[in-house]
Structure formats: C-alpha cells, structure tokens
Amino acid sequence: MSLFRAIATVGSLTMLSRIAGFVRDLLIARYLGAGVLADAFFVSLRLPNFFRSLFAEGAFTAGFLPIFAKTEAAEGRAAAKEFAEQALSILLPVTFIFSALAQIAMPAVIFILAPGFADDADRFDLAVLLTTITFPYLVFISLAALYGAMLNSVGRFAAMAATPILLNLTMIAGLPLLSPYAGGPGQALAWSVLIGGMLQFLWLANEARRVGLSLPLRLPRLSGKVRQLFRLVLPAAIGAGATQVNLIVGLMLASLLPTGAVSYLFYADRLNQLTVGVVGVAIATALLPTIAAQLARGETEAAIANQNRALEFGLLLSLPAAAALIAVPFPIISILFQRGEFDIATAQATADALLAYAIGLPGYVLARSLTPSFHARQDTTTPVRLALVSIAVNLGGGALLMQWLDHVGLALATAVAAIVNTLLLGIVLRRRGHWHMDARLKSRGWRILAATLVMAAALFVLDRFLLPGWYAGGDVPRLAALVVLVAGGIAVYLAAALAFKATRPAEWKAMLRKPPKSQPAGS
C-alpha cells in the first residue's frame, strides 16, 4: 500500500470515529454540561488516555514497530512474530501491575494531577471513583496497540484505524442504557470506557488471527530484541507523549481555576484534535512503517521524499483547519454544543479556548509528521529532550498566562509549546542530514498559505455579514449556517488551492493509485 493510500485509509476511518466522537460529546454536553460531574469525568477520561499515549499508541508503537519491520525484512515473518510474542509476554504483566497500583493509589494520583480538586470534596471524590473505573482501560488498549502495530507493519491499516469507532459507539450506547443502573451518567460513561477498551482489544486480536498473526501467551523472557525494545520505549514514553504531557499540565493548572475551566478546555480540545486525529495521526500511522521499511532496505532518499510529501499533506489540511477555527470559533461551538446544560456563557468560554488552541494546530500535525523519522531510525531519545523543552514552555507559559487570561492562557501556552516542539524536531533532523526541505515543499508551502488566507477572509465575510440572522433562529437554521460555513470554507479553499497550484488533481489520483503487489522480504 502506498503512503498516501495508507493515509487516506487511516484518515477516512478516523474521520468516521471523530463524527461518532462528536455525537458522543454532544450527549455528554447535554447530560453533564460543564459542572462538577463533567470536570470529574473528563479527568477520569484524560488520565488513562494520557498513559495510553505514553505506554501504548505512543511509546510502545514507536519502539516496537521499527524492530518488527527490521526483523521481518531481515529474518522473515516467523521471526518477527516470535518477537511480538516476547513483547506481549512483557507488556501484559507490566500494564496490569501498573493499572492495579494506580487504582490502589488513586486518591493520591488525583491529588497530584488535579490538585485544585482537593478543595472541592464532591469533585475530588467523583474524580477518584470515575478514574478507578476507567483506568483498567489502559491494559486493554495497550494490548490493542501491540496487535495494531503488527497489522500496520504488514500494510493492514484499516483495522487499527477503526478501533476508536468502537469506543465512541460504546459510550454513545452506554450513556442512556447504563445510567439507570450504574448510578448516573458519569458512572455510565466511565464503565462504557472500560467496556470499549475490551472491545477494541478483541477486535484487533481477531483481525491479527485472520492474517496469521495470533500471539499465544508465553512466559516472559528478556531476549536481546526485548531489551532493545525497552531501551527505545522508556525514553519514547516522554517523547511520543509530549502533546499529552502538555495537556496534562494544562489539566493540573486548570484544576486551580474556577469550576468549569477543565470542561471548557476539554470541549475546545476535542474540536482542535479533530484535525490532529484525522490528519496528524493518519500521517504518523502510515509514515512510520513506510520509512522504517525503506531505511531497513537502505532507501534513504526515498524515506526523505516521503517525509516531505507527508509534511506537504499536513500543511495542506492543517493550515486551513487552524484558520477556520481562529476565524469563527464561537459559531462552531455554539451551534454544536449550546443546548441543555451548555449555555451561552459556557459556549463563549469554550470558543475562546478553541481560538487559542487552534494557533498551535499546524504544530501538532507537523510534529506527528517529523517524529517518525527519529523512531524509524530507532532514536527515541532525541524527541524526549525536545519534548522536555516544550513541556517547560507549556508549564511556564501556562502558569504565567493564566494570571491574566484564565483558561485561555493555558490553551495558548499549549499551542506555543506545540509550535516550539515542531521547530526543534525539524532543526535537529536537518542538522543531522536526515531531512531537507525539497523545492516542491518550499513552493507549495507559500501557495497553501495564500489559499488559506483567501478562505479565512471568506469565512469572515460569511460570519459577519451573511449568517447572523441564521444564528438567531432555531436548531434548523443554526445547523444550516454551520453547513454553509463548513461547505463554503472548503469550496473557497479548494478553488484557491487549485488556482494557486498548491495542489493538483492529477497528483491525488497518482498518490491514491494502488501500486503493484510485491513479495515481502523473507517470505
């Protein structure tokens, strides 16, 4: 599968997941609003997801996949599968023990990561209860990450990309179905997260079995490859999770602000992460196995070329997305969420946070396009050092800016930290000779920026002069206004991009064309 066919596969399924996620968030906003229960639930959701990014989809995949790809290229599929069995024998007990210890120490964990909750007994107790329920999700999603990394390495991207859909559908169903029996909507959502993790693991384990990659349990053994995996995973636990670390820093600081700040940041980040998930995650998921295999075969220039095309693709989609969120944040938030417990004041506070987050959106996406170049070369230490710089920027900037901008200052600090991290990644890769910006990327970057500015101007005109009357109507005209904003923005951007030659239809056809089949090495 070509790089861009893989990106298209992962991106389209991720888009379906995000749509299901928005339906989920609409239900959460309606039932929980932005009060004590919502703050407690979002903490319970954030913590296992944070450790998931560090232990599972972030660090583990970054360390496991290059070794798996190199082993398959040099020794064949059977040897790669044996390495995966050894990795599973270590991953399962480590995540199980960690999860158990975290549950036992949950009051202390919440006190450390959400210190502001300590002054509010209701929020604190709810956060402890709900996080105790959700935390074992880490075990199942870690196992799912192992199976997903194997499937991605052999070109089966769809199964892993579809797993978030299962989680979102489980939460959508669990909210109304479990609330009468679980003690309320907060507990129902927490149990749904755990059940969703189980379903994700079972789904991927079955897909792996279908392609001959089932993994029997064996006793743990520290083979040479497993020790190498640990050397890669431990530093990557910080480097690959830099964005999540920054979000946790924001969570800690937000807990010190008045009730509602945690929820404002959560809802805003959900919209901001739409592009990061659909574009950034898709690029990173497809790029790592692609360039890892190319580097294993000595195809350095091909790997650099794919790196540039991935950056071009990231700019093509992240710049207009960021501009749209900056230009019209309030209509988007208000139309999507303002109903039930989510009132106009909550909508405005959330929109302010969204604007600040959106400033760093290209940084989030491009960082996910650059980091695989380090991981494919089995360098997980350098991203750690660069991540620590961005975390320091986020922590210091957030603590300073929240004094004047409250929760908006936290979002802005996170955005600046993302940009700093991206710049540092690019500078280091360039100095090492592992990446250089080719002429096409330089030319296309300016053309994409020009098309983005045209689109932003069009959105400004629509929002200020043509749609205010629709905003004042009921749900139908308001939703119609959102459709006009989205469709109008996309149409103007595509027209401008084609006019400025920022992209060409023929290139998309070529990128998505299925390449001829080839036999894997060692088969």
Side-chain angles (χ1 to χ4, degrees):
M1 182 179 288
S2 71
L3 172 64
F4 285 94
R5 278 181 62 85
I7 292 174
T9 298
V10 176
S12 59
L13 287 169
T14 304
M15 175 61 80
L16 290 176
S17 169
R18 297 293 170 158
I19 292 172
F22 275 121
V23 174
R24 179 199 73 182
D25 291 345
L26 290 173
L27 288 173
I28 293 175
R30 185 178 184 87
Y31 281 90
L32 273 62
V36 171
L37 182 57
D39 282 359
F41 171 72
F42 293 142
V43 168
S44 77
L45 187 62
R46 179 73 75 194
L47 290 184
N49 276 319
F50 166 71
F51 287 108
R52 178 201 71 188
S53 296
L54 266 60
F55 293 151
E57 296 170 1
F60 183 81
T61 300
F64 173 84
L65 200 150
I67 300 176
F68 186 91
K70 185 176 181 179
T71 302
E72 184 181 27
E75 304 174 38
R77 177 69 58 81
K81 183 173 177 291
E82 181 181 0
F83 162 63
E85 293 172 3
Q86 296 168 357
L88 175 63
S89 72
I90 301 294
L91 181 65
L92 177 58
V94 167
T95 54
F96 180 84
I97 293 171
F98 179 82
S99 178
L101 292 175
Q103 286 180 291
I104 294 171
M106 193 56 66
V109 172
I110 297 298
F111 182 79
I112 293 171
L113 295 179
F117 283 19
D119 296 329
D120 186 334
D122 289 338
R123 277 203 302 176
F124 185 85
D125 292 343
L126 270 172
V128 170
L129 171 63
L130 299 183
T131 312
T132 301
I133 297 172
T134 60
F135 209 88
Y137 169 79
L138 172 65
V139 177
F140 295 102
I141 201 60
S142 297
L143 299 180
L146 169 59
Y147 284 101
M150 284 195 303
L151 290 167
N152 286 348
S153 185
V154 300
R156 304 273 182 160
F157 292 94
M160 183 63 173
T163 53
I165 300 175
L166 289 174
L167 176 63
N168 287 325
L169 292 178
T170 303
M171 294 177 70
I172 290 169
L175 187 54
L177 294 178
L178 297 180
S179 290
Y181 310 101
Q187 290 90 328
L189 285 168
W191 283 111
S192 297
V193 170
L194 180 56
I195 295 170
M198 295 177 185
L199 293 177
Q200 289 175 304
F201 160 64
L202 293 173
W203 160 259
L204 287 174
N206 182 63
E207 289 297 307
R209 179 191 60 79
R210 292 175 57 190
V211 298
L213 289 173
S214 59
L215 302 178
L217 289 176
R218 57 166 63 188
L219 292 175
R221 183 170 68 89
L222 287 176
S223 66
K225 286 189 174 67
V226 170
R227 285 194 291 269
Q228 182 184 8
L229 175 63
F230 269 105
R231 287 194 295 270
L232 295 175
V233 165
L234 291 178
I238 299 175
T243 298
Q244 292 296 324
V245 169
N246 283 329
L247 291 173
I248 285 292
V249 169
L251 174 66
M252 294 170 65
L253 294 175
S255 72
L256 302 173
L257 294 172
T259 298
V262 172
S263 300
Y264 305 149
L265 292 173
F266 176 86
Y267 291 121
D269 183 57
R270 287 293 298 163
L271 275 172
N272 187 56
Q273 290 294 320
L274 174 62
T275 302
V276 178
V278 175
V279 182
V281 172
I283 291 173
T285 300
L287 188 61
L288 178 55
T290 300
I291 63 177
Q294 288 173 328
L295 291 173
R297 297 192 298 265
E299 301 170 0
T300 304
E301 287 304 315
I304 292 176
N306 273 325
Q307 176 74 80
N308 277 308
R309 300 293 70 77
L311 289 168
E312 179 185 329
F313 189 81
L315 282 172
L316 187 67
L317 297 183
S318 67
L319 276 181
L325 296 179
I326 292 170
V328 288
F330 180 76
I332 295 173
I333 291 293
S334 176
I335 294 168
L336 286 175
F337 294 111
Q338 191 180 324
R339 55 185 56 83
E341 296 296 321
F342 202 101
D343 58 21
I344 189 171
T346 301
Q348 185 61 64
T350 304
D352 293 340
L354 177 60
L355 188 155
Y357 272 137
I359 294 171
L361 198 156
Y364 295 123
V365 172
L366 297 185
R368 290 178 177 268
S369 303
L370 291 169
T371 303
S373 283
F374 292 95
H375 294 162
R377 293 174 171 84
Q378 299 185 25
D379 175 10
T380 55
T381 302
T382 300
V384 171
R385 297 169 181 166
L386 305 184
L388 290 175
V389 175
S390 70
I391 292 170
V393 170
N394 189 32
L395 180 59
L400 180 65
L401 293 175
M402 67 184 286
Q403 307 300 321
W404 297 283
L405 301 175
D406 293 331
H407 67 285
V408 179
L410 300 179
L412 184 58
T414 301
V416 172
I419 295 171
V420 169
N421 189 48
T422 299
L423 292 174
L424 292 175
L425 289 168
I427 290 170
V428 172
L429 283 174
R430 189 174 183 278
R431 286 181 176 176
R432 292 180 176 179
H434 294 163
W435 169 68
H436 55 82
M437 189 182 300
D438 60 20
R440 172 172 159 174
L441 180 58
K442 292 177 183 177
S443 174
R444 293 292 176 87
W446 290 110
R447 297 169 191 268
I448 291 168
L449 178 60
T452 298
L453 293 175
V454 171
M455 181 212 68
L459 287 176
F460 180 86
V461 171
L462 283 172
D463 177 53
R464 297 299 193 278
F465 302 107
L466 300 180
L467 296 178
W470 297 24
Y471 297 153
D475 283 342
V476 173
R478 282 160 56 81
L479 287 173
L482 182 60
V483 171
V484 170
L485 279 174
V486 174
I490 291 174
V492 170
Y493 177 69
L494 287 178
L498 292 173
F500 294 134
K501 297 182 179 179
T503 187
R504 294 185 174 94
E507 294 169 353
W508 287 78
K509 294 178 182 178
M511 288 187 302
L512 298 177
R513 189 177 299 126
K514 190 173 183 179
K517 292 183 179 180
S518 60
Q519 293 296 323
S523 60

